[in-house]
Amino acid sequence: MSWDWQVFCQDTITQEVGQSCFGKNGDITYLDWMLSAWGWTVSVSLLSLLIALVLGSIIGTLRTLPDRPWIVRLGNAWVELFRNIPLLVQVFVWYHVIPAIFPALKRVDGFVLVVFAIGLFTSARIAEQVRSGIQALPRGQRYAGMAVGFTTFQTYRYVLLPMAFRIIIPPLTSETMNVFKNSSVAFAVSVAELTMFAMQAQEETARGVEVYLAVTALYVFSAFMVNRIMTFIEKRSRVPGMIAASGGGH
């Protein structure tokens, strides 16, 4: 089997190989298209992660409130709902069902809808991690906040959450990497991300091996960069005695 990496220098319309792999004068090569698709993948992932972090932090915190059983139950219901429905089903619900119920959303771009679908799905997982992080803290920390006169909000804001987030950075790293991988479902609602590029470029060029290897490399690179960034954050925010060293050894 011979590989032909010049496929990325081909014009997407004429299929001719140009002198440069980057199109000029309005021409678009498959390399241009792939990099654009990578940009959409990163955009979907980062915006979904932002929604997931905000909602997950709120829901996870609410699930640990003392003497608020109904709020805890609502938080638990949120987690069970979004965690137990397959992501692809949630994407189709947001794209087909929600706009049918709320007609105003029919004018919303599919990109926005898939961001919310992935964000809400991931928020349930992050909420569970935040809850676990708070409950892993010694009870004395909550009592210390109360002893100095903090309100419940202030106790969470200044005492519990800063420590809880330090504890859950390792699982958050995995979840962040999962968001980048889960962004591939966006192809199902015609968002021009990497997976859709790979499917269409393979059909047009019959060079599926080269196309899918390049796309796989971009997914691996994205996940690797996320891992390095999160590892840096973990090292800078680590509190001795509270977070076990990665790998259990060093």
Side-chain angles (χ1 to χ4, degrees):
M1 180 184 67
S2 61
W3 291 357
D4 183 10
W5 295 102
Q6 285 189 325
V7 62
F8 293 103
C9 301
Q10 289 182 204
D11 187 280
T12 57
I13 303 299
T14 65
Q15 302 296 307
E16 296 179 355
V17 178
Q19 295 181 348
S20 171
C21 290
F22 294 97
K24 298 179 181 179
N25 301 322
D27 296 332
I28 299 176
T29 66
Y30 283 100
L31 180 61
D32 293 325
W33 186 7
M34 183 175 70
L35 294 178
S36 173
W38 186 30
W40 282 105
T41 291
V42 173
S43 299
V44 169
S45 302
L46 292 181
L47 291 174
S48 300
L49 181 62
L50 177 62
I51 293 174
L53 285 173
V54 172
L55 290 179
S57 299
I58 294 173
I59 299 299
T61 301
L62 292 179
R63 296 177 70 202
T64 65
L65 288 177
D67 304 321
R68 297 290 190 278
W70 283 106
I71 293 180
V72 172
R73 290 191 186 102
L74 288 174
N76 292 340
W78 177 283
V79 171
E80 294 302 318
L81 173 65
F82 288 104
R83 189 173 62 173
N84 292 319
I85 299 176
L87 176 56
L88 189 58
V89 173
Q90 294 191 40
V91 168
F92 283 131
V93 167
W94 272 92
Y95 193 75
H96 295 291
V97 179
I98 301 298
I101 299 175
F102 303 100
L105 292 179
K106 291 181 178 179
R107 296 188 295 271
V108 176
D109 190 87
F111 170 84
V112 176
L113 297 176
V114 80
V115 163
F116 274 99
I118 298 175
L120 294 180
F121 173 81
T122 310
S123 73
R125 303 172 65 89
I126 292 180
E128 185 66 15
Q129 295 167 5
V130 171
R131 180 193 65 82
S132 299
I134 294 173
Q135 292 183 341
L137 297 173
R139 290 186 178 182
Q141 294 203 14
R142 186 188 296 269
Y143 297 148
M146 297 169 59
V148 297
F150 282 170
T151 64
T152 299
F153 175 82
Q154 290 172 326
T155 299
Y156 276 91
R157 168 66 178 84
Y158 297 109
V159 180
L160 300 180
L161 287 177
M163 293 303 302
F165 275 110
R166 286 173 167 86
I167 291 175
I168 66 172
I169 286 178
L172 273 182
T173 300
S174 297
E175 208 55 58
T176 303
M177 295 168 68
N178 283 336
V179 169
F180 273 82
K181 291 182 288 186
N182 289 337
S183 67
S184 62
V185 302
F187 87 91
V189 291
S190 301
V191 175
E193 46 73 62
L194 278 174
T195 301
M196 173 165 279
F197 158 78
M199 296 171 63
Q200 294 186 354
Q202 188 272 337
E203 289 290 332
E204 294 178 10
T205 65
R207 287 291 175 180
V209 174
E210 293 88 338
V211 169
Y212 278 102
L213 281 176
V215 167
T216 299
L218 286 179
Y219 275 119
V220 170
F221 177 76
S222 300
F224 176 77
M225 292 304 298
V226 167
N227 181 275
R228 293 298 88 198
I229 292 171
M230 295 297 288
T231 299
F232 173 78
I233 294 173
E234 179 186 358
K235 289 181 178 179
R236 292 297 300 269
S237 61
R238 180 177 295 161
V239 177
M242 292 300 298
I243 305 177
S246 59
H250 35 174

